[in-house]
Amino acid sequence: MADLAARRQEILDAALALADERGLDAVSMRAVAQRVGVTPMALYPYIGNKDALLDGLVDRLLANLLPTLRLDGSWPQRMRGLCRAARALARAHPATFSLLWSRPSVTPDAVRVVDAIYQALLDAGVPPAEVPRVERMVSTFVLGFATSEANGRFRAGSINPRGRRGQFAPDEVPAHRQLAEWLDKDLDLDAEFEADLDDLERLIRAIASANA
Amino acid sequence: MADLAARRQEILDAALALADERGLDAVSMRAVAQRVGVTPMALYPYIGNKDALLDGLVDRLLANLLPTLRLDGSWPQRMRGLCRAARALARAHPATFSLLWSRPSVTPDAVRVVDAIYQALLDAGVPPAEVPRVERMVSTFVLGFATSEANGRFRAGSINPRGRRGQFAPDEVPAHRQLAEWLDKDLDLDAEFEADLDDLERLIRAIASANA
DNA sequence: ACCTGAACACCGTTCAAGT
DNA sequence: ACCTGAACACCGTTCAAGT
């Protein structure tokens, strides 16, 4: 039984490494099996099928988040630490991270992470009735930022901002024109993430004091 | 040349319908070709390859957003209208919508949508230097909410909230315990989305007045 | 100009068999 | 108990050929 769990971990580790190195499309039963040094069919007793393997990959990912949880410190420190850890996870495993949207994890580890956010929001003074909604708002945004960064969404069309505007007639995209000066600057996503966290914190304080 | 574009549209329409009906995995070159009534290889001159077909699908989706853009009304009306349209799009085409994370669109239509958000933020009084960041924040959140709802992420583990807490020792997830009363209520995602939009609007006003 | 058909190198998975 | 190997019904894509 311990061997079964160990073999399962070995398989998931191989799959995660494969996803990191060659993308999600390269994670085939055949390729994972070869990496483990076994025939494709030998994986099935341990992981069920391809679908369950991807679920397992998501759980493996979230397990990495748990050790970063801190119980000491102020609520903004704890919340920001968790948000930064999520972003770091997306950078470390960009291909696998996207699976979090389609394969939500309900493992004990995932619940513990959510609990940490709940606790931070309660400590911030958010009314209990609002906490679940605000948790979903915060985690949705952080997941979105991390996914966008990992997938290059934030750089869409900003590689050549002049080209982006160039294809339009004058005043067809007036706001782009008005913002030309700032759109030409290149992105500092570290700074942007911190600024976003500042805004989230500000919003949480506003929600807390509006209902105080 | 007009025929070529028309045939391309026909192919993308078939692919979108297939994704709606049977999911993204069912969108194979062979299945799309069969729906169009042609051999798989006949698609290639019009769409390039499978990868380009998925890019085309994203563009087809965003084209649906453009007609909903309104130039009249206050900035919150315009912004909320666009956010609600994005959410409606995700509900109409859940499988395809997820592609927006991995295949950012840079078509003229996409730029026009971003321009509408820029304009709303400028009208709100957000300092120009902050507008691009705040646009990314808003669109990341809305994209995230819509994707989460479409993929069932918000209902993860909330199907049976008692079971979710039941597997933990007392005080292992203290915040869940403290929030038990509110976690047992079922979700009203229409109301939640509107509450989130209220918060976004509040945040935008705060950013505007902080730099006024 | 537009489409077809055979072929190639891949998939996930079933089933019967080996040790 | 654990793994293999052949087989089946799928993929995307190349290439040569048809009309």
Side-chain angles (χ1 to χ4, degrees):
Chain A
M1 196 62 158
D3 284 344
L4 197 142
R7 197 102 173 93
R8 183 182 151 81
Q9 272 308 308
E10 191 186 350
I11 292 166
L12 291 176
D13 288 351
L16 185 61
L18 211 46
D20 291 345
E21 291 166 21
R22 307 205 280 120
L24 216 53
D25 287 349
V27 181
S28 68
M29 298 297 279
R30 285 163 145 98
V32 172
Q34 192 183 17
R35 201 175 180 111
V36 176
V38 93
T39 261
M41 286 315 302
L43 304 179
Y44 282 76
Y46 302 98
I47 51 101
N49 58 19
K50 174 77 181 285
D51 226 54
L53 179 136
L54 295 178
D55 286 339
L57 227 36
V58 169
D59 291 337
R60 249 240 49 174
L61 208 63
L62 281 186
N64 285 353
L65 212 53
L66 204 69
T68 70
L69 285 190
R70 309 197 96 273
L71 296 174
D72 56 330
S74 64
W75 72 263
Q77 283 173 332
R78 280 176 281 137
M79 202 194 65
R80 292 178 90 111
L82 184 47
C83 293
R84 291 189 191 111
R87 179 173 174 235
L89 198 61
R91 293 161 74 107
H93 308 286
T96 310
F97 197 83
S98 305
L99 291 178
L100 282 168
W101 294 104
S102 51
R103 317 183 96 84
S105 179
V106 287
T107 52
D109 281 0
V111 178
R112 274 180 262 264
V113 170
V114 171
D115 204 74
I117 307 177
Y118 284 167
Q119 193 60 64
L121 295 174
L122 286 169
D123 293 349
V126 174
E130 289 271 60
V131 164
R133 176 181 74 83
V134 178
E135 184 279 327
R136 282 188 285 272
M137 192 167 56
V138 169
S139 60
T140 296
F141 168 73
V142 172
L143 209 58
F145 186 101
T147 307
S148 298
E149 182 184 17
N151 288 341
R153 189 179 80 91
F154 285 150
R155 302 193 180 273
S158 61
I159 299 144
N160 183 359
R162 296 187 191 281
R164 190 188 193 181
R165 289 190 299 281
Q167 54 194 318
F168 293 94
D171 291 326
E172 216 194 339
V173 285
H176 277 77
R177 209 159 291 271
Q178 193 172 339
L179 294 169
E181 175 184 345
W182 293 278
L183 292 175
D184 285 340
K185 298 172 85 163
D186 37 32
L187 287 177
D188 177 350
L189 289 177
D190 288 347
E192 174 143 341
F193 190 62
E194 293 300 321
D196 287 353
L197 291 183
D198 288 344
D199 280 344
L200 273 185
E201 189 177 327
R202 174 150 50 168
L203 180 61
I204 289 166
R205 289 187 198 280
I207 294 171
S209 61
N211 301 74
Chain B
M1 197 59 161
D3 284 344
L4 197 140
R7 197 104 175 92
R8 183 182 152 80
Q9 272 309 308
E10 191 185 351
I11 293 166
L12 292 176
D13 288 351
L16 185 60
L18 211 47
D20 291 344
E21 292 166 19
R22 306 206 278 121
L24 216 52
D25 287 349
V27 180
S28 68
M29 298 297 279
R30 285 164 144 99
V32 172
Q34 191 183 19
R35 200 175 181 112
V36 175
V38 95
T39 264
M41 286 316 300
L43 304 179
Y44 281 77
Y46 302 99
I47 51 99
N49 58 19
K50 174 76 182 285
D51 226 54
L53 179 135
L54 295 179
D55 286 338
L57 228 37
V58 169
D59 290 338
R60 250 241 48 176
L61 208 64
L62 281 185
N64 285 352
L65 213 52
L66 205 69
T68 70
L69 283 190
R70 310 194 98 274
L71 295 173
D72 56 331
S74 65
W75 72 263
Q77 283 173 332
R78 281 176 279 135
M79 203 194 67
R80 293 178 90 110
L82 184 49
C83 293
R84 290 188 192 112
R87 179 173 173 237
L89 200 61
R91 293 162 73 108
H93 308 285
T96 309
F97 197 83
S98 306
L99 291 177
L100 283 167
W101 293 106
S102 51
R103 317 183 97 83
S105 179
V106 287
T107 54
D109 283 359
V111 178
R112 273 181 263 263
V113 171
V114 172
D115 204 73
I117 307 178
Y118 284 167
Q119 194 60 63
L121 295 174
L122 286 168
D123 293 350
V126 174
E130 290 271 59
V131 165
R133 175 181 73 83
V134 177
E135 185 278 328
R136 282 187 285 273
M137 194 167 53
V138 169
S139 60
T140 296
F141 168 73
V142 172
L143 208 59
F145 186 100
T147 306
S148 298
E149 182 184 15
N151 289 341
R153 189 178 81 91
F154 286 150
R155 302 192 179 274
S158 62
I159 298 145
N160 182 359
R162 296 187 191 283
R164 191 186 192 180
R165 290 191 300 280
Q167 53 193 321
F168 293 94
D171 292 326
E172 216 195 339
V173 285
H176 276 76
R177 211 159 289 271
Q178 193 173 340
L179 295 168
E181 175 184 345
W182 294 277
L183 292 176
D184 285 340
K185 299 172 84 163
D186 39 31
L187 286 178
D188 177 350
L189 289 177
D190 288 347
E192 173 143 342
F193 190 62
E194 293 301 321
D196 288 353
L197 290 184
D198 288 345
D199 279 343
L200 273 186
E201 190 179 326
R202 176 152 48 171
L203 180 61
I204 289 166
R205 290 187 198 279
I207 294 171
S209 62
N211 302 74

